[in-house]
Amino acid sequence: MSGILSYEFMQNAIMIGIMASIVCGVIGPFVVARRMVFISGGLSHTAFGGLGIAYWLGIHPLFGATAFVLASAVLIARMEEKKLKQNDLFIGILWAVGVAIGIIFIHLTPGYAPDLMTFLFGNILTVPRTDVLITLLLVLIVTVAVLAFYRGFVAIALDEEYAQARRLPVASLKMGLMLLTAVSIVTLIQVVGILLVIALLTIPVAIASELSGNFRRIMLLSVLCGIITCLTGLLISYFIEFPSGASIILIGGVLLGLVRGVKRISARRKSPRPAEAR
Amino acid sequence: MEPLITIEHVTYGYEERPVLDDVSLTIAQGDFILVIGPNGGGKTTLVKLILGIMTPWSGAIRLRGDVGRRLGYVPQFANFNRNFPISVFDMVLMGCLNAENYLRRYTHEDREKAGAILAKLGLYDRKGANITDLSGGQLQRVLIARALVSDPLALFLDEPTTSMDITSQSGLLELLTELQTRMSIVVVTHDPTPYAQTYRHIACLNRELHYHERGELDSLTLERVYGCPVELLGHGIPHTLLPGHGSAEERP
């Protein structure tokens, strides 16, 4: 067991897994509370457009993805400010156009077709050391920002109008949360890929919400659930060569089912039906 | 004495359609104003404009110098995230937040004030409870506590009795009567009956605003506001909200 820790790729994978879990716990509960799950799906898919252009230009794909996701986040936040009736329509279009741009530019890139599967489905075992360092920086930014603006973010997640009435800078807070979500998504794409990012933003939060009704505790528990699912998925991927992203998500799904099941059984024991009580 | 809040010729709408048209209103110290009118008549919109949640298309809303941000708001349940995992105490503390202090920790004073207000509203033993586990009446009191923690000079309540049973309703009315000695109160409602004994003025709102002193409202004005004949409520003394209209309208 200790042998596998000596491989650099394994060290990188564990570090990325832990950092992704921190992001899950720090930003995920806000995404869920503000009903930004669909927006997150859209943001992660626009990353594909950035990846395509980065390949075509021959620059680091992570830069292309970051630029695209951040730009899309600004666009979505601006659209929300205009209070359009059908914001989801716009997000759906952005989602598809992002993917289309990626496909076209990858088609245009001459010669060797890059390993697209890695970006679509993620591969935690192949993340290079430089990406680990970039991710570390991104995770630090997200964590420090969320801790600093914690009360403001809770205020807009709980009651946006009240925050406005209290003269909090609601528009800036919303833009900030959107940008931090974008940065988080870039981190998570490396672990589970574009298609599965939504799962990492929601499953750990769903498990944590089953276990606690306190927002801070939900954040901490989400980090913990993230670490459990990421590292278990990583081991499965290493030992039986399953795809890592999908393994992580399925472990998360199973864990959620288990927690819900145990909760339901223990609730039934605590309050037996009248017939059994006699 | 200068009124607390002066609303002058305010017009506002959504997209192209105005929901408030040339609305003027003054709210004085110690006022108890009922804002009534049909659904979609702009009642909630007017309150949101006064609170600065939205900016009017035209016209002005002026606050007396010392009011600043000392306006309390008790929104409808539909207007905030009821499923948010937060305790009663933390929810009330959020009422202390403003543009200057939201990056800092809550002070000892904030916490003491939140505790004192919860105790006053009979919710101190529920302070650790999650807001999702509260009854409608309890949640309503939590929202009032959140509004009171910032020592407001005016308190705005949007349909506060909607999800309350009769007991909670009379509790709320007692509280409002007591608060009225310290602050102006504006209640938005489609059902003015519970406030019959407490209100001082009525503002009828359906795009346009009609203002009435206590006891001067009649069925003709209501008809103009609601756009159809409206039967006035008369439950006899002491619950007569509005004056009588001759023997033809008397109830058996």
Side-chain angles (χ1 to χ4, degrees):
Chain A
M1 184 73 190
S2 63
I4 65 170
L5 291 176
S6 59
Y7 297 120
E8 187 182 307
F9 76 87
M10 207 58 187
Q11 294 165 357
N12 290 350
I14 290 170
M15 281 191 277
I16 278 275
I18 290 172
M19 289 192 288
S21 308
I22 292 171
V23 160
C24 290
V26 166
I27 216 81
F30 287 105
V31 168
V32 172
R34 275 191 58 81
R35 296 171 199 283
M36 286 164 63
V37 176
F38 184 61
I39 289 177
S40 308
L43 283 178
S44 86
H45 281 75
T46 58
F48 196 66
L51 289 173
I53 292 183
Y55 268 118
W56 186 67
L57 291 172
I59 59 173
H60 195 301
L62 210 50
F63 292 138
T66 311
F68 253 60
V69 177
L70 284 177
S72 310
V74 172
L75 261 179
I76 293 174
R78 286 239 170 126
M79 290 308 251
E80 282 204 326
E81 224 32 52
K82 284 184 187 159
K83 300 226 161 70
L84 291 187
K85 271 186 191 153
Q86 271 225 296
N87 216 347
D88 58 337
L89 176 84
F90 173 72
I91 295 160
I93 293 169
L94 204 64
W95 180 316
V97 168
V99 174
I101 292 174
I103 294 172
I104 295 290
F105 275 92
I106 285 164
H107 170 78
L108 288 177
T109 309
Y112 164 69
D115 189 7
L116 287 178
M117 293 290 274
T118 308
F119 282 107
L120 289 177
F121 302 110
N123 191 348
I124 197 171
L125 293 174
T126 60
V127 180
R129 186 49 64 91
T130 46
D131 291 16
V132 173
L133 294 176
I134 296 172
T135 308
L136 179 66
L137 185 71
L138 298 181
V139 172
L140 276 177
I141 293 172
V142 171
T143 310
V144 169
V146 168
L147 293 180
F149 291 93
Y150 179 78
R151 272 167 220 84
F153 288 151
V154 168
I156 60 167
L158 170 69
D159 191 342
E160 195 180 311
E161 285 181 345
Y162 197 82
Q164 202 118 41
R166 298 295 307 161
R167 303 287 190 276
L168 261 58
V170 170
S172 311
L173 285 169
K174 279 161 79 179
M175 180 64 91
L177 191 59
M178 192 72 85
L179 289 174
L180 292 173
T181 307
V183 172
S184 309
I185 284 169
V186 173
T187 311
L188 298 178
I189 284 176
Q190 301 174 71
V191 181
V192 291
I194 287 169
L195 298 180
L196 299 177
V197 161
I198 302 188
L200 266 197
L201 283 174
T202 52
I203 294 176
V205 182
I207 298 173
S209 305
E210 291 288 338
L211 299 172
S212 174
N214 174 298
F215 198 75
R216 283 168 200 269
R217 232 168 284 154
I218 287 177
M219 288 174 85
L220 282 174
L221 283 169
S222 301
V223 174
L224 209 65
C225 294
I227 290 176
I228 292 170
T229 51
C230 282
L231 296 190
T232 316
L234 176 62
L235 288 178
I236 288 177
S237 168
Y238 178 78
F239 284 112
I240 56 176
E241 290 183 20
F242 269 26
S244 63
S247 306
I248 290 169
I249 302 306
L250 285 182
I251 295 284
V254 169
L255 197 59
L256 177 61
L258 275 176
V259 168
R260 287 191 71 121
V262 168
K263 238 186 113 183
R264 195 165 293 179
I265 290 167
S266 67
R268 210 173 285 171
R269 278 216 188 126
K270 268 182 205 155
S271 57
R273 274 168 292 172
E276 292 169 1
R278 261 185 273 143
Chain B
M1 194 168 171
E2 194 190 341
L4 223 50
I5 298 160
T6 315
I7 301 154
E8 285 170 336
H9 309 290
V10 162
T11 299
Y12 182 82
Y14 300 98
E15 272 146 34
E16 297 299 302
R17 193 176 57 90
V19 291
L20 293 178
D21 194 4
D22 195 21
V23 166
S24 296
L25 177 70
T26 54
I27 299 167
Q29 190 129 27
D31 246 348
F32 193 123
I33 299 179
L34 286 184
V35 181
I36 63 168
N39 289 333
K43 305 188 292 289
T44 301
T45 306
L46 177 65
V47 169
K48 286 185 185 172
L49 286 168
I50 297 172
L51 290 162
I53 295 172
M54 302 177 304
T55 323
W57 285 355
S58 64
I61 293 165
R62 286 191 284 117
L63 306 179
R64 200 174 72 191
D66 59 331
V67 175
R69 62 182 82 81
R70 289 174 67 186
L71 299 176
Y73 179 38
V74 180
Q76 289 184 55
F77 287 2
N79 288 3
F80 69 96
N81 187 355
R82 260 189 95 170
N83 296 318
F84 193 88
I86 190 171
S87 72
V88 166
F89 190 70
D90 285 343
M91 177 97 174
V92 174
L93 267 180
M94 303 224 62
C96 301
L97 288 185
N98 60 48
E100 280 82 47
N101 70 5
Y102 80 101
L103 293 175
R104 289 198 286 273
R105 295 179 161 276
Y106 292 116
T107 62
H108 182 68
E109 199 194 342
D110 291 338
R111 291 175 177 280
E112 278 198 340
K113 227 172 358 181
I117 283 166
L118 279 173
K120 188 172 151 42
L121 297 191
L123 282 165
Y124 194 77
D125 53 330
R126 299 286 281 154
K127 74 177 181 140
N130 200 305
I131 58 161
T132 47
D133 298 331
L134 299 180
S135 71
Q138 287 173 329
L139 183 57
Q140 190 63 259
R141 274 184 287 153
V142 171
L143 293 184
I144 293 173
R146 179 180 67 165
L148 292 181
V149 83
S150 60
D151 293 324
L153 289 173
L155 182 63
F156 296 82
L157 302 99
D158 195 349
E159 300 282 5
T161 47
T162 308
S163 46
M164 278 190 177
D165 55 33
I166 294 293
T167 331
S168 320
Q169 269 190 28
S170 56
L172 173 73
L173 283 165
E174 263 172 46
L175 176 67
L176 291 183
T177 315
E178 191 205 319
L179 290 176
Q180 201 190 348
T181 58
R182 284 184 283 138
M183 62 192 77
S184 310
I185 292 175
V186 177
V187 176
V188 163
T189 180
H190 62 271
D191 176 21
T193 19
Y195 311 96
Q197 289 170 293
T198 19
Y199 84 96
R200 283 176 61 178
H201 306 289
I202 282 191
C204 296
L205 191 59
N206 188 10
R207 209 157 68 94
E208 288 169 356
L209 187 136
H210 303 269
Y211 190 70
H212 306 275
E213 294 294 322
R214 185 180 176 92
E216 84 171 89
L217 189 66
D218 59 30
S219 56
L220 264 177
T221 332
L222 273 183
E223 203 171 313
R224 271 215 310 276
V225 172
Y226 279 82
C228 62
V230 174
E231 189 171 26
L232 284 176
L233 305 150
H235 298 296
I237 308 294
H239 283 294
T240 304
L241 179 60
L242 305 157
H245 298 275
S247 57
E249 287 183 41
E250 262 174 34
R251 301 201 161 222

